[in-house]
Amino acid sequence: MAVEIRVFNIKALPYTARFGLGSTAPVKRWARFVLTDKGDLYWTRAIHVRKDVDSSNIHISIHESGEIFSSRYGVREGVLSKEASRLVGSMGSPFREITSPHQVEYGNELLERGYLYVGLPTLTEKNKKTDTQNDFVACLDELLVNSRLYYSLDLVPWTGEDEITAYLMTKRNQVFAENDPRCHVFIFCWESVSAVVTMRFTDGEDPIDMQRIAEADMHAHPLKRLFHP
């Protein structure tokens, strides 16, 4: 089996795509991709992880000017507040005008039991809503528990699947693997450019347990997530 590639054509702005993780069906919220009507792009991963204390998500924003910022948000006394924001790069032009590919972010997450069952929120039907301005992306993996999720976000000046796949094959990291069914590529096409989210799972022990999710949701309690530099 080969890598999964899915293409989403953005027809209207603002546009939002939400990502759900699961083994046989998406059950946990993980990331969100937003393109505003002004041309700003927002990429948020690890959404609301243990949001009662410390940090709740890491947020990448690409302004219409081409400047790229990384921000961390935290929750204190039930209020989401911006804790830190720093300039991490610049594309030199707005997203819609780029002429060469640009990798915005690359990293990995260990989907250990506490993070997966307790840290990530359980999906609701509201999160899965789709229409002309919203898409829902299910990223499934059989051995999700204790797997390592590698991910990247790239902005490219193409909308063709062949061109984008050829570019991903040139990257020297652990995300893209052409013949790996545990690798997933999601292409969001807008006008003549695309945002490309690549996700790949390695290792892992078990499928996600729906009974354990129900128990964790029923007995929710404060936890802290450790962020590593």
Side-chain angles (χ1 to χ4, degrees):
M1 296 177 63
V3 57
E4 176 196 29
I5 299 178
R6 295 175 60 189
V7 178
F8 301 83
N9 291 304
I10 301 176
K11 298 180 177 64
L13 298 181
Y15 172 84
T16 300
R18 295 177 173 85
F19 291 75
L21 300 180
S23 292
T24 58
V27 293
K28 286 291 183 174
R29 278 190 285 161
W30 183 70
R32 179 175 58 228
F33 166 84
V34 177
L35 189 60
T36 72
D37 53 4
K38 294 181 180 180
D40 297 328
L41 188 153
Y42 296 91
W43 165 249
T44 309
R45 58 181 170 82
I47 297 175
H48 303 316
V49 174
R50 300 172 181 146
K51 63 180 180 179
D52 55 300
V53 289
D54 294 344
S55 296
S56 63
N57 63 53
I58 296 173
H59 170 101
I60 297 290
S61 57
I62 303 166
H63 293 197
E64 200 275 340
S65 63
E67 292 183 321
I68 303 172
F69 288 85
S70 176
S71 304
R72 183 169 291 176
Y73 286 71
V75 175
R76 285 189 170 83
E77 299 180 353
V79 178
L80 184 67
S81 61
K82 191 172 182 179
E83 293 189 336
S85 182
R86 59 191 178 91
L87 180 68
V88 295
S90 175
M91 298 188 298
S93 65
F95 172 37
R96 73 185 78 187
E97 297 175 11
I98 59 174
T99 57
S100 59
H102 189 97
Q103 184 170 84
V104 176
E105 186 180 46
Y106 161 66
N108 67 84
E109 299 263 12
L110 175 61
L111 302 181
E112 52 88 15
R113 285 177 170 81
Y115 173 89
L116 192 60
Y117 287 114
V118 182
L120 293 180
T122 302
L123 280 167
T124 64
E125 288 306 312
K126 180 180 179 181
N127 297 128
K128 299 179 184 180
K129 179 182 177 183
T130 61
D131 54 37
T132 58
Q133 292 178 288
N134 294 274
D135 276 310
F136 178 77
V137 182
C139 190
L140 307 182
D141 186 79
E142 183 178 355
L143 299 179
L144 196 67
V145 179
N146 275 340
S147 66
R148 177 74 64 174
L149 168 58
Y150 293 88
Y151 59 86
S152 67
L153 171 65
D154 295 79
L155 306 182
V156 300
W158 317 295
T159 57
E161 186 176 316
D162 291 343
E163 289 175 303
I164 293 171
T165 301
Y167 159 69
L168 293 175
M169 290 178 66
T170 67
K171 295 166 58 179
R172 297 180 179 274
N173 59 41
Q174 300 182 64
V175 182
F176 184 77
E178 186 179 17
N179 296 313
D180 188 348
R182 301 185 74 187
C183 182
H184 312 266
V185 178
F186 307 105
I187 302 171
F188 301 92
C189 302
W190 178 50
E191 297 180 355
S192 60
V193 297
S194 300
V196 183
V197 177
T198 307
M199 301 169 68
R200 183 188 181 198
F201 300 91
T202 64
D203 305 318
E205 298 173 0
D206 305 293
I208 197 164
D209 187 333
M210 296 302 296
Q211 180 61 33
R212 183 143 186 190
I213 290 178
E215 292 172 357
D217 290 346
M218 191 178 300
H219 303 95
H221 56 278
L223 288 175
K224 290 186 178 182
R225 181 185 182 205
L226 298 178
F227 285 90
H228 300 283

